[in-house]
Structures are given as structure tokens and as C-alpha cells.
Amino acid sequence: MTVSRALRDGASIAAETRDKIMKAVEQLGYVLDQSAGSLSSKRTGFVAVLVPSINNSNFADTARGLTDALQGSGLQLLLGYTDYLIEKEEELIESMLRRRPEAIVVTGGKHTPRGRKLLEKAGIPVIETWDLPPKAVRHVVGFSNAEAAEALVRYLHEKGYRKIGFIGGTSNRDTRGADRRLGYERAMAALGLMDTRIISFGTPPISMKQGGEALAQLIEQWPDVEAAICVSDLSAFGALTECQRRKIPVPNRIAIAGFGDFEISSCSHPSITTVGVNCYDIGRRSGELLLRAIEGERARRPIAAETIMTQYSVIARDSA
Amino acid sequence: MTVSRALRDGASIAAETRDKIMKAVEQLGYVLDQSAGSLSSKRTGFVAVLVPSINNSNFADTARGLTDALQGSGLQLLLGYTDYLIEKEEELIESMLRRRPEAIVVTGGKHTPRGRKLLEKAGIPVIETWDLPPKAVRHVVGFSNAEAAEALVRYLHEKGYRKIGFIGGTSNRDTRGADRRLGYERAMAALGLMDTRIISFGTPPISMKQGGEALAQLIEQWPDVEAAICVSDLSAFGALTECQRRKIPVPNRIAIAGFGDFEISSCSHPSITTVGVNCYDIGRRSGELLLRAIEGERARRPIAAETIMTQYSVIARDSA
DNA sequence: ACCTGCTATGTTAGCGATAACAAGGATCCG
DNA sequence: CGGATCCTTGTTATCGCTAACATAGCAGGT
């Protein structure tokens, strides 16, 4: 028991005793067993985080924001990636819950019925991010992808573009991508532009290369297209370079816009007009919310459900 | 006990009993507590993985390879990121070991003395990746970054370039980056090219933007430079676009080469010559090795230390 | 009928920590 | 100097599960 106290801070223990213990600990290479501690104290120090892909800088930024927010709290991320599949998400939710996380952060608001039930019954704070679900499980930190895409369409419209196309993946697996397409369609309709030009190509998330191929399809199918909105900056970059290879001037002959404000968009030549979403901020604020929520659980005074809207903005650059 | 058996497979239990239990489990929303199970069975199902950055597609690929290799084994990644600092690595090693992982995978072969000691005394399989440490803790899955950079210099030399510069970060924090610079220097010396041109700019890992700024410095300091090797593809892309902004023809006036074969290098226009390293493969093979090693531990027949060299190759593209 | 061998379930103990309480000793103050 | 108070250390029970062993019941062969 004294050892247990010595290895934690905040416990009253004689300096001399602590030194002796520390020396022994160092000598033996003893390392505390946290799974035993968790069992006893009912605090695992885990926060489960599910993202679609570990390999996407947007979600990596969110994870970083979360990590930073949790710095010093003794909480550790338990990351899982769903591969954009809600079935895989369901599996992951269950396997995460077995580890008794103190909170769980998921990406998006669409889940399998069982996945949703697991979240609701988990008895821990739940945060849905990157979306504004119509019916949230509890807390939300995100923005409307549809509205953001609408803003981008309006921006292009103001710049004089009318024949605006949209490039995205083939399925609704990526719900945020699907929302963006929806926003595109809504905005086009609202502006009286009824002739939408949509290319669906590749399994989401679509790559740079696929963005290029999709652009080729777009100009083949609608040679008169004036601007292309791409579901993400990666595909936008692919589309841009495809234009360069074909010697199609951007933005003069065709304008290109992306989504996400990846570093590549500000660095490419020409730079790419995009929608900046505060990925890091989503993580950061989720982390802060989550700390308050966990605190509330511990004090047996659960906090009320919160919806935090993060900012997005159209970032005008050279490509559109 | 019967419930415990029902929820695991492989145990002999009557189908009828199992069904009854499953029904109750579903109704109650019961989820097994794995931390208690781990304490009892001494198997946590964790594999600790430390990477420099969660935000680098190379390491993300390695993590994906690991995840894929561990699929179905009941093992789960516990990811930590060190921010390229061995001091942070030391902290992470300790906090990971508290979770009693069944194996630990670290990036690189350089650790703090205490970090190294913790790894050695951990009593679990240890794999160092992405490097070939002079004195490995135990298992290694990687390649020589210095040799790979040498190969790239030789490639440029064969193409006729002589005044070859190197762009990297300001410190040795990124040991792989430092090794690449070392390889550059060695190869230059071996080819009788004594006039090295090295620009150190920005805290590793350097970004696209910093790559561009470094290139500007390079041509300012050595206007006669014919080729630039960049410590990573990201900085190479930044260097490329900086050239495009300055209307410097690539590769005619200056050639550019990167390292890592990120998607951007094959997609940019012109495409970027780089060194392909099998990031995914490093993860995949680490995972396979680790499964064998864990198996060995369980059977009390530890496997011998292994060093798996992964392949790298210079990928000739348009920029050099 | 008896023993063997199998399957299905039950019992007991213990994993390694912490919560909660107990107790010994020093300190302080009137 | 005695009792209150604080600081430090010790004791006991428990967290929720699984390993290991025990037992009950049944089938099958001789």
C-alpha cells in the first residue's frame, strides 16, 4: 500500500520512505500494472476514438487535437479505424467498450442500429464529431458538411462560374463525402443551376490519382464544364495535375476547388481554393468537452448534452 | 464461469446453455470487462506501437500494415506518438509498459539510456523499425536510410548531375533524416564530389512549405546547384512548387528528388523522383514477426533475435 | 453392472492494484 | 501533562474475470 502511494502523487508519504521505494523501484525495473489498478479504481485512463482512416491527415489532425487536449489529464487515446464502414465501427465500438474507456469519440453520426445502442447504453460520455447528426447520441462537435459545400458552390457562382461539376466517390460509405455532394446539389438547385455534373469514381476516400481520372471523365462527359468541386483536397490535387498534364489552364479554362484545406492546397502551384475545416480544433474541443463530461460523471452530476459547432470557411486561392 | 466460457470460443459448452446466456447478454447489454480478464489471464491483447508522428503518411502506412497483420489475432494496437523526441519516447515506453502490452514496436534505434533499459527489461518482444540500429535491442525490421540516400546520390550522379544539394531539418531529432544526410555526404565523398551543399531549415519533420523556403535558400547560397535531394517527399514537393513559382524549369535547370514515395510524388506534375520504402511492408512484417515472437513467449521458447531488411529502391520519375 | 472416458458445469483461488478504514506515533496547544 | 490533531503506515476487502481443478451426468464397451 505504501508503495502504491509512493508511486502516485498527491498522497501523503514521508520523503525518506518515498526515496527508499523509488530506489528499489529503479533497481528492480518495477513498472506499475495499470490493468490491476484500473480494475480496482474503476478508472482505466482510456478514451476510445474511432476515425475512418488513420491515413488521412484531416483525421490525424483531429487525433492530434484530442491528444493535445488530453495532455496531462492521465487519459490516453485508444485509436481504432473503421475504414469508412459502419459495420466495422460497430465491431470496434464493442471491442473498445470491453476495455472500459472513460469516454468514446466517434466520427460521424451514422451508425448501425446495434452500434448506436451500444453507444447509448455504454454509460460513458459519447461524442460524435465531424458531422451534425439529425439525432445525436449525446454530445456533438462538428459542422454541416452539406452547408460547407453549399458555401463553396455559392463562392464559385459569385466568381462567375455556372457549369460546375462535382467529383466524389462511388458510394455513400463516406457519409461526409455524401453530405458534401448533397450540399452541392442543393446549392445548385437554389441558384437555379439545374444541370448538375456529377462524377462518381473510386471507393471512398478517393485518392489523388482517382481525382485525376475523375476529372478526365468529367471533361469527357461534359466538355463545357467550367469548374470542378472535388470531395477532398487530395482528389482536387489529382484533378489539378491531370489538367496540367493535359495542358488545360487552371483556373482559366477550368477552375478547381477542394475540401479540407490540406497542406498541399496551399503549397501547390497554382494553390487550390478549398474549404477550411478546423480538423485540429474538432479534436481539441472534443477533448475539452470530454474532460468536462468525465469530470461530471465522476461527480455523479452528468453534464447536459452539448453541440459545439466548429467553424468552416471558403479559402479563396488561385485555382478557382 | 459458464458465462465466461460462453463468451469465448473454443470452450466446450452446450448449445442450449450458450443460447440462453447470449440472450441474457443481449438483453442486459452486458459487455465483458477485458481489464479484469487481462489481470486474470495475464494477456492484455495489446501491442504498443510508438511512431514519431501520427500525421505522416509513411508511419500511418506502417501502422496500417501492423493492424492488418494483427487482424484476427485478438491483438490491438496501442499507438503513441513521440513527436520525434527520444525523451518523449522514454515517457511513452514507460506509460505503455504500465498497460502490460504483449509486445512493443518502436521507430528507430536511438533511445535514451533509460528508455533502452526499459525496453530490455520489459520481458516482452521488442521490435525496432525503420532503421538498422548498430546495437539492436532485439528484433529489427527496417533498412539503412544512409544507404538508401547513397543510392539516390549515385542515381543522380549517373544522370550526370554533379552539384547536388541536400535539404533537411535543423536538428538530428529526426534520426532517419540525419541518416539520410549522412548517406548523402558519404556518397558525395565516395564519388569525389567534395563540395556538399546542405541546407538545414525548420524543425523536423519539415513541411512542404519549409521545403520551398529551403530550396530558395539553396539556390541563393549556391546559384550553380544542379540537383536537390530533399529529406522527404513533402519537402521535395514544396521545393518543386517553389521552382514553379520562380519559373525555374524542373528538371532542366534544377533536378529535385525526394524520399519516401508518398502518393504526391507520383501524382505531381512533373512527378518526383524518390526513394520508395515499403512503409506498409515494414508494419506488416513487424506484425508477423511479433505474432511469432509472442507465440514463442507463450510457449516459453523465445525465438531468436531477427533482423528483417526491407527493400528500398530509387524510383526514377520526371523531376530528376 | 462396472469401469472408462467424455462433456458440461461448478468451485475455489488468485491476478495486482486501490478504497476505506484502522492504528501508531509525533506534534501541538492550553 | 493530557487530549486533540495530523501525518504516516498498515490491514482488509474487493474490483471482474479466468486458471485449475472438482464433480456430476451420460454414453459406450465389456
Side-chain angles (χ1 to χ4, degrees), chain A residues 1-66:
Chain A
M1 195 60 231
T2 305
V3 173
S4 175
R5 272 188 276 252
L7 294 179
R8 238 171 335 159
D9 34 26
S12 77
I13 188 169
E16 193 192 354
T17 314
R18 162 172 273 141
D19 287 350
K20 259 198 295 194
I21 289 174
M22 285 311 189
K23 207 181 293 172
V25 161
E26 201 59 39
Q27 209 170 37
L28 294 167
Y30 169 80
V31 177
L32 214 81
D33 185 329
Q34 196 162 168
S35 48
S38 300
L39 184 60
S40 174
S41 67
K42 311 207 147 266
R43 296 196 38 191
T44 57
F46 279 131
V47 170
V49 179
L50 302 185
V51 293
S53 157
I54 202 172
N55 218 332
N56 174 301
S57 79
N58 273 190
F59 299 124
D61 280 345
T62 298
R64 200 161 46 81
L66 262 164

Side-chain angles (χ1 to χ4, degrees), chain A residues 46-97:
Chain A
F46 279 131
V47 170
V49 179
L50 302 185
V51 293
S53 157
I54 202 172
N55 218 332
N56 174 301
S57 79
N58 273 190
F59 299 124
D61 280 345
T62 298
R64 200 161 46 81
L66 262 164
T67 311
D68 289 352
L70 265 41
Q71 196 74 358
S73 68
L75 255 31
Q76 183 175 15
L77 292 198
L78 198 51
L79 266 177
Y81 75 102
T82 66
D83 213 12
Y84 293 88
L85 294 170
I86 55 175
E87 293 75 22
K88 194 153 179 199
E89 185 196 57
E90 176 187 318
E91 262 179 60
L92 274 169
I93 291 172
E94 188 166 15
S95 78
M96 290 291 178
L97 290 183

